[in-house]
């Protein structure tokens, strides 16, 4: 079974500081990994994906993610956090049936 | 380009009733998936349609059904509503159903069952 885990329910960071939201995966075969963000009362917005190739993936809004095969991780990063980045972040993996299996989400709070 | 449109945005229904939710995908997208989001269970996959055919189904009872039309628009239906069906229902569309293809989500339909 393909699954992801987000070990942190909440991440707090000060504006201007770098942020990391963690995700680990468990897959058989090649992983197809995604990050989404959800603002209150909104749907999910696609940030970035890893399919193959470079381990550092760049996405929307200045976010990037680092794929690490040996640690089975796909952490989301941003060099300088903004208050407007405060939201719920989901890591996901596409399973063999092409559905997205989501982690439980990590709430990011960026304080001024 | 217009995004994924879901209607209605909010619904209140009574236990035992049925409900139909609608989703218009991004123009040109042929795959539509549905997800249920609740505080307790998180995001769970319901089903996926591609070219009017259900290709994949999640672990939900038969009360949950869906269909896709020739213009790729999709509907999902929940019959005999239960209190536990209260959730945010999200529709997502993709250009195709490949594993490397990202899905784009609508704003969701908030269903409250009373």
């Amino acid at each position: 079974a393909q699954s992801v885990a987000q070990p942190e329910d909440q991440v707090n960071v000060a504006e201007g500081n770098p942020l990391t939201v963690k995700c680990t995966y468990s897959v058989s075969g090649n992983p197809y990994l995604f990050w989404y963000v959800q603002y209150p009362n909104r749907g999910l917005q696609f940030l970035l994906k890893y399919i193959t190739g470079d381990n550092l993936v760049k996405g929307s809004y200045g976010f990037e993610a680092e794929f690490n095969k040996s640690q089975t991780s796909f952490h989301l990063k941003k060099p300088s956090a903004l208050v407007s980045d405060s939201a719920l972040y989901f890591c996901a993996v596409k399973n063999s049936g092409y559905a997205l299996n989501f982690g439980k989400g990590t709430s990011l709070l960026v304080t001024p | 380009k217009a995004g994924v449109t879901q209607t209605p945005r909010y619904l209140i229904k009574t236990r035992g009733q049925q409900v139909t939710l609608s989703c218009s995908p991004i123009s040109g997208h042929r795959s539509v998936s549905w997800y249920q989001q609740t505080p307790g269970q998180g995001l769970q996959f319901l089903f996926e349609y591609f070219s009017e055919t259900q290709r994949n189904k999640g672990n939900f009872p038969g009360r949950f059904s869906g269909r896709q039309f020739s213009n790729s628009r999709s509907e999902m239906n929940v019959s005999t509503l239960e209190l536990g069906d209260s959730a945010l229902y999200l529709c997502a569309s993709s250009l195709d159903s490949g594993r490397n293809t990202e899905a784009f989500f609508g704003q969701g339909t908030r269903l409250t069952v009373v």
Side-chain angles (χ1 to χ4, degrees):
Chain A
Q2 321 274 31
S3 64
V4 293
Q6 295 179 243
E8 303 157 316
D9 289 337
Q10 182 161 323
V11 170
N12 298 318
V13 65
E15 187 174 30
N17 283 357
L19 69 87
T20 299
V21 183
K22 296 179 180 177
C23 173
T24 58
Y25 65 88
S26 174
V27 305
S28 53
N30 295 324
Y32 294 81
L33 298 163
F34 301 79
W35 274 102
Y36 285 85
V37 60
Q38 186 176 35
Y39 297 97
N41 298 315
R42 302 292 296 272
L44 278 69
Q45 294 181 30
F46 169 73
L47 284 177
L48 50 81
K49 65 181 178 182
Y50 174 83
I51 304 302
T52 186
D54 289 340
N55 291 338
L56 186 64
V57 180
K58 293 193 182 297
S60 306
Y61 313 118
F63 284 93
E64 57 190 27
E66 186 173 8
F67 174 75
N68 187 315
K69 188 172 183 178
S70 62
Q71 297 186 2
T72 62
S73 66
F74 187 55
H75 299 334
L76 182 70
K77 299 173 183 284
K78 188 174 183 182
S80 178
L82 300 172
V83 171
S84 57
D85 292 330
S86 299
L88 193 55
Y89 290 80
F90 291 95
C91 181
V93 62
K94 267 211 183 169
N95 64 25
S96 55
Y98 306 99
L100 286 164
N101 285 347
F102 287 92
K104 60 181 174 62
T106 299
S107 179
L108 173 67
L109 179 63
V110 182
T111 53
Chain B
K1 209 177 204 180
V4 179
T5 303
Q6 291 188 246
T7 56
R9 287 292 311 278
Y10 302 92
L11 266 178
I12 300 176
K13 290 286 188 179
T14 304
R15 266 185 308 175
Q17 286 186 314
Q18 75 166 20
V19 67
T20 299
L21 312 182
S22 181
C23 173
S24 293
I26 293 171
S27 177
H29 285 195
R30 297 169 63 189
S31 171
V32 173
S33 300
W34 290 87
Y35 292 81
Q36 181 196 65
Q37 185 178 22
T38 60
Q41 299 298 317
L43 281 154
Q44 294 185 286
F45 170 74
L46 281 156
F47 27 66
E48 186 238 351
Y49 288 87
F50 182 79
S51 293
E52 301 180 67
T53 301
Q54 186 182 90
R55 293 168 63 98
N56 197 6
K57 190 177 191 304
N59 189 25
F60 278 82
R63 299 185 296 107
F64 292 80
S65 63
R67 58 178 176 169
Q68 186 181 32
F69 301 96
S70 59
N71 61 358
S72 293
R73 192 176 69 84
S74 178
E75 290 181 346
M76 68 163 281
N77 184 279
V78 188
S79 62
T80 319
L81 284 166
E82 300 177 359
L83 295 179
D85 297 332
S86 295
L88 181 66
Y89 289 88
L90 293 165
C91 169
S93 78
S94 305
L95 196 58
D96 57 48
S97 61
R99 290 184 71 190
N100 61 347
T101 305
E102 60 270 29
F104 296 90
F105 285 78
Q107 292 190 316
T109 294
R110 172 76 62 186
L111 173 64
T112 302
V113 183
V114 297

